[in-house]
Amino acid sequence: MKIAIITEEAPLPIGSYSQAVKANGFIFVSGQIPIDPKIGEVVAEDIEGQTQQVLENIKSILEAGDSSLAKVVKITVFLKDIKNLPQVNKVFEEYFEGEFPARESVEVSRLPRDAEIEISAIAVVNS
């Protein structure tokens, strides 16, 4: 059984996908870009601010699905410029404590809304 997760505390989908899907004890969060859900726009221009906004969006989605950032097991980071990875790592250290999730980071030529970063995540549901 799968359940779509939707919360207004994160940007609503702009296409034919769910913010996340809960299935078999996991939550699969769709790629999130740094849109502030209150105004529907990318608000930060620097990579640190954009990374923070993306992680806040993911945090809200996970909480709506009965999970949390502490339960994240896998993350995929898409960057317009891989040289920004050290700054992304610093922000990750603010959001993840203890054991970090598994992760891959890839450089891409372009992201929706000309964002600098997009992140997807997989987390365990609270038991």
Side-chain angles (χ1 to χ4, degrees):
M1 185 165 105
K2 68 178 187 176
I3 301 169
I5 306 298
I6 298 289
T7 177
E8 292 185 9
E9 298 300 313
L12 295 173
I14 56 174
S16 54
Y17 63 92
S18 299
Q19 287 171 320
V21 172
K22 187 189 299 189
N24 296 324
F26 290 95
I27 296 179
F28 301 85
V29 181
S30 295
Q32 298 296 307
I33 59 173
I35 293 178
D36 182 329
K38 293 180 179 82
I39 62 171
E41 297 293 330
V42 174
V43 292
E45 292 185 20
D46 65 315
I47 191 64
E48 292 90 347
Q50 288 197 14
T51 304
Q52 289 170 341
Q53 183 64 58
V54 171
L55 291 174
E56 287 296 326
N57 294 343
I58 290 172
K59 178 181 173 186
S60 295
I61 294 167
L62 290 171
E63 288 173 355
D66 196 28
S67 189
S68 67
L69 287 175
K71 301 275 188 164
V72 172
V73 294
K74 175 81 167 52
I75 283 189
T76 302
V77 179
F78 302 95
L79 292 163
K80 277 178 48 177
D81 188 347
I82 200 74
K83 292 178 186 171
N84 287 328
L85 192 55
Q87 295 96 312
V88 170
N89 283 333
K90 286 182 183 178
V91 176
F92 269 55
E93 290 172 6
E94 297 171 16
Y95 282 83
F96 296 99
E97 298 178 9
E99 295 180 349
F100 292 106
R103 180 181 85 186
E104 64 261 332
S105 302
V106 293
E107 183 176 82
V108 296
S109 63
R110 192 159 185 210
L111 291 167
R113 306 287 271 298
D114 286 324
E116 295 294 320
I117 188 168
E118 180 173 349
I119 301 173
S120 63
I122 301 171
V124 176
V125 175
N126 290 331
S127 50

